[in-house]
Amino acid sequence: MESAVEMIPAEPQATSSGSGDLEFDISIGVTATTNYVSRGITNSGNDPAIQGYIEPSLGPLYVNFWSSNVDFGEGFSGAEIDAAFGVRPEFGPLKLDLGYVHYFYAPESVSPDYGELYIKADYEVEKLFTVAGRVFFAPDFNQSGDTATFVAGGVKVPLPHDFSLYGGVGYQFFEDPNAFEQLTWTAGLSYSWKSLTFDARYWDTDLNDDECVVRSGFEDGCGSRIVLSVSFDTSLSALKNLGK
């Protein structure tokens, strides 16, 4: 799953249906980014990445397939393919997302595959701002036999002229006492125009260089950085309504 929504309120889904009926739709999107950063750590060796997804849905039920190029050091580059399924119930200003995502890598030597259960909650406060809470739980992180938990929260403030300001903080816990846990934080500004979103984001963590080599494959893979990206998102229902 795309890293941004792990810590801050999610962008609205690219669909025109807000009735809550069990209507079938397909959302698609592609992103070009200067660095694939997840939870404050580069997954692309500090190089640019091209990412895309397709998401069939039936009302609040969905499956999601997402992919990006990855690089964890010499001999460990390839592709990440995420397969997720879940449900997104809404209760007034509260939007939930409950599901499971499995991370696959190609070739298999890039990284062990593993899965996470997740709970995401976004709560809109009087259209002034939205707060977010996130919990991801991996029963068998990296096929190590140990669990891992990522907990995060964030806030997003809509600004005039389709701009948004946001920030978030998260902490990665590991059951393995020898693993390097990290605190991570992010802040940024986004601008939406029709189906395009332009984003400038700051990332950082508290990992030192030696710890970062273990976590990312690079000494400079966990420090402060600015990441720029542009995304295109649409849906089958939105395309059908273009001429209406």
Side-chain angles (χ1 to χ4, degrees), residues 2 4 41 48 57 66-67 71 81 86 89 98 112 131 137 155 165 173 179-180 200 205 225 232 236 239 242:
E2 196 274 320
I41 300 174
S57 61
W66 181 92
S67 185
D71 185 354
I81 304 98
L98 317 174
V131 293
F137 175 74
V155 63
L165 185 67
F173 298 88
F180 298 119
T205 77
R225 73 206 56 228
F232 172 83
L236 183 62
L239 293 174
L242 282 178

Side-chain angles (χ1 to χ4, degrees), residues 100 115-118 135-140 147-150:
Y100 173 82
E116 287 184 316
L117 299 163
Y118 57 83
V135 178
F136 290 79
F137 175 74
D140 185 13
T147 65
T149 305
F150 183 70

Side-chain angles (χ1 to χ4, degrees), residues 92-169:
L94 176 64
K95 296 181 180 180
L96 300 177
D97 187 351
L98 317 174
Y100 173 82
V101 57
H102 202 93
Y103 307 103
F104 298 93
Y105 297 90
E108 294 182 0
S109 59
V110 171
S111 177
D113 69 271
Y114 70 99
E116 287 184 316
L117 299 163
Y118 57 83
I119 300 174
K120 308 177 187 179
D122 291 350
Y123 188 85
E124 186 178 24
V125 181
E126 299 296 331
K127 298 188 180 297
L128 298 175
F129 60 92
T130 301
V131 293
R134 306 284 188 261
V135 178
F136 290 79
F137 175 74
D140 185 13
F141 179 76
N142 272 353
Q143 300 184 30
S144 64
D146 294 319
T147 65
T149 305
F150 183 70
V151 179
V155 63
K156 189 172 188 176
V157 180
L159 301 175
H161 306 295
D162 299 316
F163 283 90
S164 295
L165 185 67
Y166 59 83
V169 62

Side-chain angles (χ1 to χ4, degrees), residues 51-226:
Q51 305 165 340
Y53 74 89
I54 181 169
E55 182 179 294
S57 61
L58 183 63
L61 305 173
Y62 69 90
V63 293
N64 182 290
F65 301 96
W66 181 92
S67 185
S68 176
N69 55 292
V70 294
D71 185 354
F72 301 117
E74 186 175 355
F76 297 95
S77 60
E80 174 186 335
I81 304 98
D82 301 351
F85 64 90
V87 60
R88 296 190 181 106
E90 297 186 14
F91 305 93
L94 176 64
K95 296 181 180 180
L96 300 177
D97 187 351
L98 317 174
Y100 173 82
V101 57
H102 202 93
Y103 307 103
F104 298 93
Y105 297 90
E108 294 182 0
S109 59
V110 171
S111 177
D113 69 271
Y114 70 99
E116 287 184 316
L117 299 163
Y118 57 83
I119 300 174
K120 308 177 187 179
D122 291 350
Y123 188 85
E124 186 178 24
V125 181
E126 299 296 331
K127 298 188 180 297
L128 298 175
F129 60 92
T130 301
V131 293
R134 306 284 188 261
V135 178
F136 290 79
F137 175 74
D140 185 13
F141 179 76
N142 272 353
Q143 300 184 30
S144 64
D146 294 319
T147 65
T149 305
F150 183 70
V151 179
V155 63
K156 189 172 188 176
V157 180
L159 301 175
H161 306 295
D162 299 316
F163 283 90
S164 295
L165 185 67
Y166 59 83
V169 62
Y171 195 87
Q172 179 73 66
F173 298 88
F174 293 107
E175 182 183 17
D176 182 357
N178 297 315
F180 298 119
E181 298 183 347
Q182 102 263 10
L183 177 71
T184 183
W185 53 95
T186 188
L189 181 71
S190 65
Y191 168 70
S192 297
W193 180 75
K194 296 184 179 181
S195 296
L196 293 173
T197 301
F198 301 88
D199 187 272
R201 186 186 313 269
Y202 169 81
W203 285 101
D204 205 354
T205 77
D206 64 347
L207 292 170
N208 62 40
D209 291 350
D210 292 337
E211 294 169 338
C212 192
V213 170
V214 175
R215 295 295 307 279
S216 73
F218 301 90
E219 287 188 353
D220 60 349
C222 311
S224 61
R225 73 206 56 228
I226 299 293

